[in-house]
Amino acid sequence: MYKLAILDDDEHWCRIVQRFLKQEYTVATYKSVSSFLWELEEVKQYDIFLVDFVLPTARHELNTDGIQIITALKRRLPYSPVVILVTAYMSRNELEVHGKQMCPEADGFFAKDAGLEILAHQMKQLLTQDTNEDR
């Protein structure tokens, strides 16, 4: 079973994703940048991250958004987990066109209105790719 971490302040969305994916993933949620960064040692154990684009400001990490978190994760962690930038502010088509320009370090992009089945499919694809590339 894969381990999934979600960094998103939208408690309802986190709960829905957690319920939808609980058969295939062990899911942990982080609602603030502070809690996520505070537990960075624990965060290393996850196979995949869903990071929201817009995050509430942390006291010591002013103006931090999902792109900055993803960049920090990719630079700090020795093992590079699969990271998906999630947003409600762009459509699926906009993310396909502009996602890589916005955040080159992200492995995938997901528009919240695209549907959880698409998210589950994308996560499986990225994890399979990641596993094959490690061999």
Side-chain angles (χ1 to χ4, degrees):
M1 184 175 273
Y2 287 111
K3 294 180 180 179
L4 163 68
I6 303 170
L7 174 58
D8 195 313
D9 64 317
D10 185 340
E11 191 174 325
H12 298 293
W13 193 80
C14 289
R15 195 173 306 139
I16 290 167
V17 172
Q18 193 168 18
R19 284 185 184 157
F20 187 79
L21 297 173
K22 71 180 181 186
Q23 298 297 323
E24 297 180 53
Y25 297 88
T26 301
V27 182
T29 59
Y30 298 88
K31 294 175 183 66
S32 73
V33 173
S34 297
S35 66
F36 187 72
L37 294 176
W38 189 256
E39 299 178 29
L40 192 58
E41 286 300 314
E42 186 178 310
V43 168
K44 291 177 181 176
Q45 67 179 313
Y46 293 101
D47 302 298
I48 187 164
F49 296 102
L50 300 179
V51 179
D52 192 19
F53 175 57
V54 178
L55 297 164
T57 302
R59 281 188 198 164
H60 61 285
E61 299 281 344
L62 297 176
N63 302 319
T64 302
D65 62 20
I67 294 171
Q68 291 166 324
I69 294 293
I70 290 171
T71 302
L73 283 173
K74 291 288 187 168
R75 289 184 184 157
R76 288 185 192 170
L77 297 179
Y79 162 73
S80 181
V82 172
V83 183
I84 298 175
L85 181 67
V86 177
T87 184
Y89 294 99
M90 295 179 80
S91 71
R92 184 176 174 192
N93 291 338
E94 288 173 314
L95 280 173
E96 285 177 10
V97 173
H98 303 292
K100 242 351 182 187
Q101 293 170 337
M102 285 175 39
C103 185
E105 290 86 3
D107 300 301
F109 304 91
F110 179 73
K112 285 184 176 178
D113 64 350
L116 293 177
E117 289 182 10
I118 290 174
L119 175 63
H121 178 74
Q122 182 182 15
M123 290 170 57
K124 255 186 198 165
Q125 258 186 331
L126 289 169
L127 285 167
T128 302
Q129 273 179 340
D130 190 53
T131 302
N132 290 337
E133 288 174 5
D134 287 344
R135 292 180 185 175

